[in-house]
Amino acid sequence: MTGTAPAPFTADDYRARMQRAAREAADAGLAGLLVAPGPDLVWLTGYAPTAVTERLTMLVLAPGRDPVLVVPTLEAPDAAKAAGASALTLRDWTDGKDPYAATAALLDTDGRYGISDGAWAMHLLALQRALPATSYASLTDALPMLRAVKDASELELMAAAGAAADAAFEEIRRVPFGGRREKEVGADLADLLRRFGHSQVDFTIVASGPNGANPHHEVGDRLIRDGDMVVLDFGGLKDGYGSDTSRTVHVGEPTEEERRVHDLVREAQEAGFRAVRPGVACQEVDRAARAVITDAGYGEYFIHRTGHGIGVTTHEPPYMIEGEERPLEPGMCFSVEPGVYLPDRFGVRIEDIVTVTEDGGRRLNDTTRELVIVG
C-alpha cells in the first residue's frame, strides 16, 4: 500500500486530551484520574514504557491542576521524549524512595479517583494504605466513553487500519486453503497484516469446518479440506489504531444450506449497519442484526453480541449489545459482526468496522461480503 505517513499527534493534542479527561472526571464526580501504563496512558500522553515492571509509573490528572507523571528515575529520560511530555510535569523517584508517598502528595486525602483497569493491584493497594480515606473506581466503569469519540485525525488512522486489513484479505483469498493447516493460513494472515503496515497483530482466527462453530477458535492443526466453510477474523494495530474484520470463505463449491446461512448473516450485517445513526441506542444495532437471524429460525445460533468498540485497542466500549442504552455519537467506531454457529458443522461471521457520521454510518472495511470461493 502507498500513501503519505500520518501526521503525528502533537503536545497540544495530548494537552487537550488530558484537559478533557480531567473535565470528564469532574463531571463524573471524581477527584481525578490515575492512569497506569497501557492504552489510556498512550492515548493521553504518547508515552509507552519500553517495559512495564513493578516500579510505579502513574499519570495523575485532576481538574484545575497540571498533569503530573510519576516515573522511576531510570525511565525519566524516555518519558521526557514522549510527544506529550511538554504538556505535563515529570516527577521521578529513585529506588529506595517511596513512590506511593510521592503520588499520595498529589491526591486529595479523601478523594474518589478513577484508575486504569490495567493498574497493578500492588500499586492500588499501596496507595490505599498511604491514603486510607481515598476510594477508587475502574476507569472503564467511571468514564467508559473517554476514548470512544474519535476526532478527524483518529478517524483517518482508523480508516487506514481498515484499508490495510482489507488489503490483507484480498491477498489471503488468493492463497491455497485446501490441504493446509489452519495455523499455516493464520501465519500468512499475520505476515500480510504486517506487510500492509500493522505493527501489532492481535489475532488471526482461521476456523475451518466444525471449528467455525466456535467464534474464538483462533487457529489449530486441523487440515483444511475441500468442502469446508472457513471463518477468517483478524486485526491488530497500525500506527496505534485498530483493525478488525471478518469474512467467511468456502473451499470449493458450497452446499445450498451453506449459501443460505451465509446470505442470512450478510443480510443481518447489512441490517445492523443500516441501524447506525446518531442518537440511536447501541442496543438497537444488536436488535436489528439479531432480528434477521431470529426471524429465519437461527436465533439460538447467534451466541455473541453484535459489536464492540475499537480504537487504540481492538476491543473497548461502546458495545452493541442488548441493554446498552447509550446513544451513538458521530465519531464512535465499532464492529458490526453478526454470526451463525452450527455446532459440529460450520460457522459464518461477517464483520466490518463502522464509524458513526452526522447522518448515519460509514464502513471502514470495503471487501466483498459475498461468499468467496477459495482453492
Side-chain angles (χ1 to χ4, degrees):
M1 298 179 69
T2 60
T4 58
F9 294 115
T10 67
D12 286 341
D13 293 324
Y14 292 113
R15 180 179 291 106
R17 290 177 184 180
M18 287 188 282
Q19 290 173 345
R20 179 163 68 84
R23 288 196 304 270
E24 291 187 11
D27 291 344
L30 299 172
L33 303 178
L34 305 179
V35 186
D40 292 314
L41 186 63
V42 173
W43 185 79
L44 286 163
T45 69
Y47 177 51
T50 53
V52 179
T53 71
E54 74 284 355
R55 292 183 174 94
L56 178 74
T57 294
M58 189 75 72
L59 173 69
V60 180
L61 296 178
R65 302 180 190 175
D66 291 337
V68 177
L69 181 61
V70 178
V71 294
T73 299
L74 74 169
E75 295 174 13
D78 287 339
K81 297 175 185 175
S86 63
L88 51 78
T89 298
L90 283 177
R91 182 166 299 180
D92 64 313
W93 61 275
T94 58
D95 286 350
K97 302 294 184 180
D98 184 354
Y100 306 110
T103 306
L106 303 170
L107 308 182
D108 294 341
T109 56
D110 59 354
R112 180 169 177 78
Y113 289 88
I115 188 166
S116 300
D117 294 62
W120 286 23
M122 62 180 284
H123 297 322
L124 175 58
L125 293 171
L127 285 172
Q128 287 180 315
R129 286 194 296 271
L131 294 173
T134 55
S135 59
Y136 302 86
S138 156
L139 195 53
T140 294
D141 287 341
L143 294 179
M145 296 294 104
L146 179 62
R147 304 192 314 257
V149 176
K150 277 65 176 175
D151 64 23
S153 296
E154 291 180 294
L155 289 173
E156 184 178 346
L157 291 167
M158 291 291 303
D166 284 357
F169 176 72
E170 293 295 354
E171 292 289 329
I172 201 69
R173 62 183 288 186
R174 293 176 171 85
V175 310
F177 277 68
R180 302 177 70 210
R181 299 191 185 280
E182 292 173 343
K183 64 182 181 183
E184 294 174 312
V185 178
D188 286 347
L189 259 178
D191 288 344
L192 286 166
L193 285 170
R194 294 188 185 97
R195 184 201 304 176
F196 291 117
H198 282 65
S199 60
Q200 177 177 313
V201 176
D202 286 350
F203 46 89
T204 54
I205 292 174
V206 180
S208 63
N211 288 340
N214 175 0
H216 284 172
H217 166 70
E218 295 199 0
V219 297
D221 288 322
R222 185 180 186 276
L223 204 64
I224 302 172
R225 303 177 177 88
D226 186 64
D228 278 348
M229 194 82 91
V230 185
V231 178
L232 304 174
D233 185 347
F234 50 96
L237 299 182
K238 179 182 185 296
D239 296 317
Y241 282 77
S243 70
D244 185 1
T245 187
S246 300
R247 294 293 186 263
T248 302
V249 302
H250 197 277
V251 185
E253 285 301 314
T255 65
E256 181 181 338
E257 181 189 22
E258 287 171 331
R259 281 196 180 278
R260 184 174 68 250
V261 172
H262 190 278
D263 286 347
L264 174 65
V265 174
R266 182 165 53 83
E267 182 184 347
Q269 207 269 347
E270 177 68 17
F273 169 68
R274 291 192 177 280
V276 175
R277 61 185 182 276
V280 167
C282 292
Q283 68 181 1
E284 294 303 328
V285 178
D286 182 83
R287 288 175 175 177
R290 196 170 301 276
V292 173
I293 293 173
T294 299
D295 290 349
Y298 286 87
E300 66 182 295
Y301 304 114
F302 181 8
I303 56 177
H304 56 70
R305 65 196 175 201
T306 293
H308 58 82
I310 185 170
V312 294
T313 62
T314 49
H315 279 220
E316 61 187 42
Y319 299 103
M320 306 303 112
I321 190 171
E322 181 66 31
E324 179 52 85
E325 297 180 351
R326 188 180 308 278
L328 298 178
E329 299 178 43
M332 285 182 173
C333 297
F334 49 86
S335 65
V336 178
E337 52 177 306
V340 168
Y341 308 93
L342 303 179
D344 303 318
R345 299 184 62 206
F346 66 89
V348 176
R349 180 163 65 257
I350 301 172
E351 173 186 15
D352 294 324
I353 297 304
V354 173
T355 184
V356 185
T357 64
E358 294 297 331
D359 58 0
R362 176 169 66 96
R363 285 184 166 104
L364 300 185
N365 297 106
D366 292 319
T367 55
T368 182
R369 292 165 201 91
E370 301 290 338
L371 181 58
V372 169
I373 307 303
V374 298

